[in-house]
Structures are given as structure tokens and as C-alpha cells.
Amino acid sequence: MTTKYRPLQFGVTRVTLREGARGVSYVQADQPLQAYAARITDRLLLWAQTAPERSFMARREHRPDGGTGDWQHVSYGRALRAARSIGQALLDRKLGNDRPVAILSENSLEHALLALGCIYAGVPYCSVSPAYSTISQDFDKLRHVLDTLTPGLVFASDGARYGKAIDATVAPDVEVVLASPPHGALIGRTCTALGELFDTVATPSVDAAMRATGADTIVKFLFTSGSTKKPKAVINTHRMWCANQQQMRQSMPVLAEEPPVLVDWLPWNHTFGGNHNFGLTLYNGGTLYIDDGKPTPALMAQTLRNLREIAPTIYFNVPTGFEAIARAMEGDAQLRKNLLSRVRMFFYAGAGLAQPIWDSLHKTQEAAVGERIVMGTGLGMTESGPFAIFVTSPKVKAGDLGVPTVGMELKLVPVDGKIEVRYKGPNVTPGYWRAPEATAQAFDEEHFFKSGDAVQWIDPQDIHQGFKFDGRIAEDYKLATGTFVSVGPMRARIIAAGAPYIQDVVLTGINLLEIGALIFPTTAVRALSGLAPSASLEAVLHSAPVQAHFQEVINKLNQSATGSATRVARAALLAEPPSIDKGEVTDKGSINQRAVLMHRDALVRALHGDGLPCIIKPQPLSFPTTTGDSP
């Protein structure tokens, strides 16, 4: 039986390949990059002139009692007016590259308008991870970010929530702007109300400043996750952002067919939310509904509520979000009806999506609307804008990536038995801000950016199908036998085998004889235990049904193992989730193998049995549980 998909055109389906020296090869799309805007501001001007009343962005009203109300909208016309006023206020303060704007807050209408004001005036800005201010206890990463940027103005949405972090890290001579009063009493300093920036009268000087910006003007800084080293500030220029948006339009023609409608929670301090989705909304004259939910037990209900009400035309999320949506759609008719009513494509990034979740979504879609929704994905990174590689057909499987977008060249380089993919194109960053050594190390002798990602051909006999993911080269390691462990594919196998009960996995065993696994379970594991909903997660993980289930998962996996590098000999179920503050996981849910291993070193050593007193027994295929970083 032929599988029916909702119609979706793929813009790049063929590539060219040329061979270089020493096993290196180069791959490009077989079509050129079309003309693109000189600056992202040109697109704001376009939509403010041609569709001034169209909604650019919306967010639910936040009431004083903590509840939420109706959607509040900002039109393109209003967005331009606000950008001019805010831009004038920033020019009056003589802000610029050496004194940019730092935004500490979550996604919001105020955040968006302040960003547009910066862009209009040619003042770089940086959306900083809220976790650095609200979860961190030492504010070490926030302090590093501000020391790197030396901002002339710091914005926070809420003085009460961000006051402690501001007090600890922001120099007394740096202006602090707050969206919500009271302003001074909460953090012991004189602050400016955001309304003052909105009320600034724009003059011809701000329009002149806008016209003086160009392709090489720095728009923003986006910091890397900094899990193993200090976060680096990736320079983002107008050329990067605009070229990447045109690349997206050609790889995903659906973006140009109608103004896109997004319901999106992805944080703007990350490239997925802040460049990819914020940018495609602005570039294509779309509307972004800010989703204050997240794929967590506490906040997922907000996302589901929004998706029952607002029907997106394209829907983006990370694998944990799609996992929760797949479960919810099985018993929620209104969610199925609204979410599937006009969506043209689902798109995931940030981590691998387990095939069982994929299959569950397709099953529900076929039952509800008689066709499947294409699940798009690809590969990219902060330094590539981020869009770099995208799938070529609806027949996508877990791990598939696709082919390079237009105007960008891939360099495939043999590294430690794998093939690293490297990037060159107008969407690639010129480097890291105030970090010349790191910039020099990031590019090779032909000025290709070294991604650290490994790929394989989906079908070496048909290169037009493109690539599949083969893990992060830096995550791979050797056992004591000298055998390489390919972490990415191995993690994907374990997550798929344990779906829907495994959130993520970190592999252990560097320079040891056997592979171990630290398993972060999903909340669905509670249903396996048979215990009351009020039972602690520790009790759930210790329960006999849960232990038996995971034992069986690993047993089945090991039946197809080909040697020590593909056999999990021991594992631990972790009750403590990965920590954002410690860099174990990013805001959007991507696990960092090295950070987890570093911060949970005692647990790893105990798992592999070096004599530490703990509940973990060094027996093959035993399943201890742990509640912390140490035994």
C-alpha cells in the first residue's frame, strides 16, 4: 500500500560531488543561492509597508494572579514604530559593538521589540540563557557572558526574578532596564522602565543609522552551550542571517507559499529559536505565537492548550516535545483536530527522535486525517546560522539528515575512522567575539568551519539521498581494548529500544573494558511501576517491574551486539535529571555527554566497580538507581 503524505515540496534533491586529496570530498547542492536581503531590517520594512496590520507576534496576557488570558498581538506596523523609538533610545545612549545590549529574559513581546530596536539602530544584542540568572547559584556563566560582551545596557523582564543575578554580575555603571515595576527597590539600584525606551521620539538619525548597516554589520551574539569550556560568543551578521533565511526558503519552499504561522517555545538565546524560527517569521512575513509551555511535566499542559487553540502551518519542537505530543494526541480529539488541520510540516532538531515516537505520530495522523505529515529535520549549528543540511523527501527515518542547502559547500574529512562534515558559505559565522585563538582553531586551512559532527551516506550508491548522522566525533571514545565506541548511533539504538521510557542516555567506559549506560528515564516510566502517582521517582525506579523492563531492553539490544563496542554491560537508572546549570543539558533539551561524565564522575567510577561503597554492583546487566551525582 502506498503511503500518503500531505503535499510538501522539497527544494533541493540533487547534489554534486568532487573528490579532493587524501580522501577528502566536497558536496554542494546542484542549484545556486538566489538573491537575498542585504539586512534583516529590510524584511521588517517590507511587511510593515505591505501588511502593516498583520500580526507579527503574539503572547498570552499574564495576569497579576499568575494566570494567563487572551492573546496580545503586535502587528508589523507597530513593531516598526517600536523599533524606531527603541533604536533612537539606544543611539542616544551611544551603544554599539563594544557596548551592546544584553537581554536576560525569556521569550516575550518586550524581548522581541527590544531586539528589533537593536537591529534597526545597528546595535548588537545578545539574548542570554535565562537559566544563567534564574537557576544558577553562582552566576558563573552569566558573569562570563557579561565580561565577554561588556554591555552598555542590560534588560530583564522582571526585577524580582532577575534582581539577584543583576546585583551579583552587572557593574554599577551599566544601565538596567526592567519591563515590570517596581524598578529600584528590588535590586537596590536605579533602573529605567522599558516604557521610557518605547516613548522615545524617533528622529531621522535612527533611520540614517539603519541605512548605514549592511551585510557585515553584527546583528547579535549567540553563546555556545559551554558545557566543557566557557561559552563562546558566536558573531551573527546580517549576511549570515539573511543568507540562511533564503537558503531555508529554497530548501523548504513551503515558507514562501504563504505567511507561516508558528506556535513556538524554543528559546531565543539558542539558534533554533532565536535565528531559525524568529528569523523565518520575520523574513517571510509570518506570525509567531509565543508558547510559554515547554516539554516538561510542569509546563507541557500550556503547550497542549495553545496547540488546541492555534493551528500552526509549520510546527517545530525537540524530540521530547514531540514525544509528549504523540502521547497526548492519542486521547485528545481537539488537539488532533486543531494541530493537524493545516500544518504542512513537522520539524525536529536538537537531538535524535526515536523511531517509535515517529511511528506513533504517523499512526495518529493517518487515523485522524488520512495522511501523514512530513517530519523534516537536518543538521546545523549556531556557527552555521543554523540551517545547513535538510532532508530531500518525505521518506525520512530516524537519523537521516539530507543534503546541503543552496550556496553552502560541505567538506567531508576522514577523522579517527569517521567522516567529519565541515561548512563554508555566506551563512557561516566570521568567528567568535573577542576570541581570536578560538576562531583560528575553528576553521581549517581552506577556511571551512570544523563542525565536529560525523556523517555517513544514507546510500553510497545514491548520493542524492544525502547523509545520516554518525555522532559527535568529540563524544566518541576508545575502550581499553583500543576499540572505538561510536556514541551517537549507540545512544540512538538504546533510546529507540527503550521508547517511550528513555529520555536520554550517556555512555560510560572510557579506557575501560566495557560500555556502561547512565539512563535518564521519562515520566512515562511511572506507569510501568504499578505504584501510586504520589510515589517518589526513586521508588519507581527501584520497583521490580521497572527493573525487569530495563533489564529486558538491554538484553534484547545485546542480542544484536557485534562486540564490546556495541554491548552495554552495565547501566544505572538516574532519578536526578540532567542539570542546565552544570551544562549537562541545554535549554532545549540536548544532552551533553562530556558534561554529564564530568559532573557525575564518582557515579561512573562506582558503576564500573572501583571499590567505592555504593548500591551499584559491578555485575553485567545490573540496574542500580541513583538520586544524585555520587554513590
Side-chain angles (χ1 to χ4, degrees):
M1 186 173 111
T2 302
T3 300
K4 182 182 179 183
Y5 285 91
R6 184 163 291 177
L8 184 75
Q9 181 183 354
F10 293 85
V12 181
T13 58
R14 298 187 64 81
V15 297
T16 61
L17 173 69
R18 66 182 176 92
E19 300 295 340
R22 298 182 297 279
V24 173
S25 56
Y26 303 83
V27 184
Q28 289 182 286
D30 72 343
Q31 59 180 274
L33 174 63
Q34 297 171 5
Y36 52 90
R39 54 202 165 203
I40 199 76
T41 333
D42 296 344
R43 305 301 284 188
L44 173 62
L45 291 169
L46 170 67
W47 303 119
Q49 292 164 2
T50 61
E53 299 306 315
R54 182 186 300 164
S55 179
F56 162 56
M57 202 162 286
R59 189 188 185 203
R60 288 191 185 277
E61 177 188 13
H62 283 237
R63 298 194 299 258
D65 63 3
T68 56
D70 295 334
W71 291 97
Q72 296 179 307
H73 291 258
V74 172
S75 68
Y76 276 95
R78 181 186 166 197
L80 176 59
R81 292 190 295 273
R84 293 183 69 248
S85 292
I86 294 171
Q88 182 68 57
L90 302 179
L91 290 180
D92 292 345
R93 289 160 168 79
K94 302 188 185 316
L95 302 181
N97 287 4
D98 294 327
R99 299 179 66 241
V101 172
I103 301 175
L104 305 189
S105 302
E106 293 90 345
N107 303 358
S108 68
L109 299 180
E110 295 82 5
H111 186 155
L113 294 176
L114 179 55
L116 291 181
C118 291
I119 295 168
Y120 199 89
V123 176
Y125 72 98
C126 177
S127 298
V128 183
S129 171
Y132 294 174
S133 300
T134 61
I135 298 178
S136 175
Q137 297 303 306
D138 58 15
F139 306 119
D140 184 55
K141 285 188 176 179
L142 176 61
R143 190 173 289 106
H144 166 74
V145 166
L146 298 182
D147 287 346
T148 301
L149 296 176
T150 60
L153 184 150
V154 172
F155 168 75
S157 58
D158 188 325
R161 189 154 185 252
Y162 289 89
K164 184 178 178 182
I166 291 171
D167 249 354
T169 62
V170 179
D173 61 343
V174 175
E175 183 178 12
V176 173
V177 175
L178 299 175
S180 60
H183 305 291
L186 294 175
I187 54 178
R189 65 191 295 162
T190 301
C191 298
T192 303
L194 181 61
E196 291 185 26
L197 274 63
F198 280 93
D199 292 340
T200 303
V201 177
T203 72
S205 65
V206 73
D207 301 314
M210 183 274 296
R211 290 191 296 270
T213 62
D216 293 316
T217 300
I218 298 174
V219 179
K220 64 165 77 171
F221 304 105
L222 281 171
F223 276 81
T224 60
S225 60
S227 50
T228 56
K229 297 180 180 179
K230 292 290 187 181
K232 298 187 290 289
V234 179
I235 299 169
N236 284 250
T237 64
H238 277 290
R239 177 184 289 106
M240 271 184 71
W241 207 357
C242 293
N244 206 222
Q245 288 301 319
Q246 180 59 36
Q247 289 169 325
M248 290 164 60
R249 279 169 69 96
Q250 289 182 240
S251 292
M252 300 185 290
V254 65
L255 296 177
E257 292 174 6
E258 61 178 335
V261 175
L262 275 61
V263 179
D264 195 54
W265 67 270
L266 289 157
W268 294 340
N269 58 282
H270 275 285
T271 189
F272 191 4
N275 271 6
H276 193 286
N277 293 356
F278 189 108
L280 80 83
T281 303
L282 181 57
Y283 203 87
N284 297 286
T287 302
L288 191 156
Y289 288 82
I290 297 172
D291 175 14
D292 287 318
K294 265 187 180 180
T296 65
L299 296 174
M300 193 63 203
Q302 293 188 46
T303 292
L304 298 178
R305 174 194 176 191
N306 292 334
L307 290 175
R308 292 186 197 102
E309 184 174 328
I310 306 298
T313 60
I314 308 172
Y315 186 67
F316 300 91
N317 214 321
V318 296
T320 52
F322 278 115
E323 178 184 344
I325 288 169
R327 289 200 306 269
M329 280 205 298
E330 291 175 357
D332 191 328
Q334 179 58 28
L335 176 64
R336 292 195 300 270
K337 178 181 178 182
N338 199 63
L339 176 56
L340 302 178
S341 63
R342 62 174 179 173
V343 67
R344 300 286 301 282
M345 179 180 69
F346 285 165
F347 184 111
Y348 81 90
L353 181 65
Q355 193 66 45
I357 304 303
W358 211 311
D359 297 339
S360 174
L361 287 166
H362 283 329
K363 181 180 178 181
T364 299
Q365 293 158 6
E366 289 176 326
V369 295
E371 58 188 1
R372 294 182 177 184
I373 309 301
V374 171
M375 178 64 81
T377 189
L379 185 66
M381 58 199 314
T382 307
E383 290 87 345
S384 66
F387 191 82
I389 301 175
F390 187 66
V391 294
T392 63
S393 80
K395 299 177 182 178
V396 188
K397 301 186 298 296
D400 289 356
L401 301 174
V403 298
T405 190
V406 294
M408 191 187 69
E409 187 174 21
L410 301 186
K411 182 179 180 180
L412 306 180
V413 182
V415 177
D416 295 332
K418 291 201 168 190
I419 301 298
E420 181 189 17
V421 60
R422 300 180 180 180
Y423 303 127
K424 181 189 283 187
N427 55 309
V428 176
T429 181
Y432 301 111
W433 184 242
R434 293 173 172 167
E437 290 185 5
T439 298
Q441 293 170 4
F443 293 88
D444 69 13
E445 68 284 355
E446 294 185 288
H447 209 67
F448 280 82
F449 183 84
K450 297 182 286 189
S451 74
D453 288 321
V455 297
Q456 294 180 350
W457 292 107
I458 293 174
D459 181 355
Q461 305 306 313
D462 181 8
I463 63 172
H464 305 297
Q465 291 188 40
F467 303 100
K468 59 183 177 181
F469 190 58
D470 196 29
R472 290 280 297 169
I473 291 174
E475 290 182 342
D476 292 350
Y477 61 88
K478 283 185 179 181
L479 296 174
T481 59
T483 304
F484 262 109
V485 176
S486 187
V487 171
M490 190 69 184
R491 280 178 58 233
R493 284 182 61 222
I494 298 171
I495 293 170
Y501 303 111
I502 296 182
Q503 184 76 57
D504 221 317
V505 176
V506 170
L507 298 186
T508 67
I510 298 173
N511 296 323
L512 300 175
L513 291 172
E514 300 172 322
I515 291 178
L518 302 179
I519 299 175
F520 294 99
T522 66
T523 55
V525 76
R526 290 184 173 276
L528 284 176
S529 69
L531 300 178
S534 59
S536 67
L537 182 55
E538 291 85 351
V540 167
L541 298 183
H542 277 290
S543 68
V546 170
Q547 294 270 317
H549 172 80
F550 281 96
Q551 185 73 55
E552 181 63 19
V553 167
I554 298 299
N555 288 346
K556 288 184 176 180
L557 269 173
N558 286 342
Q559 289 174 6
S560 60
T562 57
S564 59
T566 56
R567 180 180 184 273
V568 179
R570 54 193 72 217
L573 299 174
L574 275 61
E576 181 182 356
S579 167
I580 291 178
D581 197 27
K582 295 177 181 177
E584 294 179 336
V585 67
T586 69
D587 289 2
K588 59 185 200 314
S590 304
I591 201 75
N592 187 283
Q593 169 99 1
R594 291 199 170 193
V596 173
L597 293 177
M598 178 176 67
H599 291 293
R600 308 195 189 216
D601 177 65
L603 173 60
V604 173
R605 286 185 282 114
L607 177 64
H608 286 272
D610 66 354
L612 290 174
C614 77
I615 61 172
I616 299 172
K617 298 178 181 180
Q619 297 174 353
L621 302 178
S622 61
F623 273 84
T625 59
T626 176
T627 59
D629 294 347
S630 59

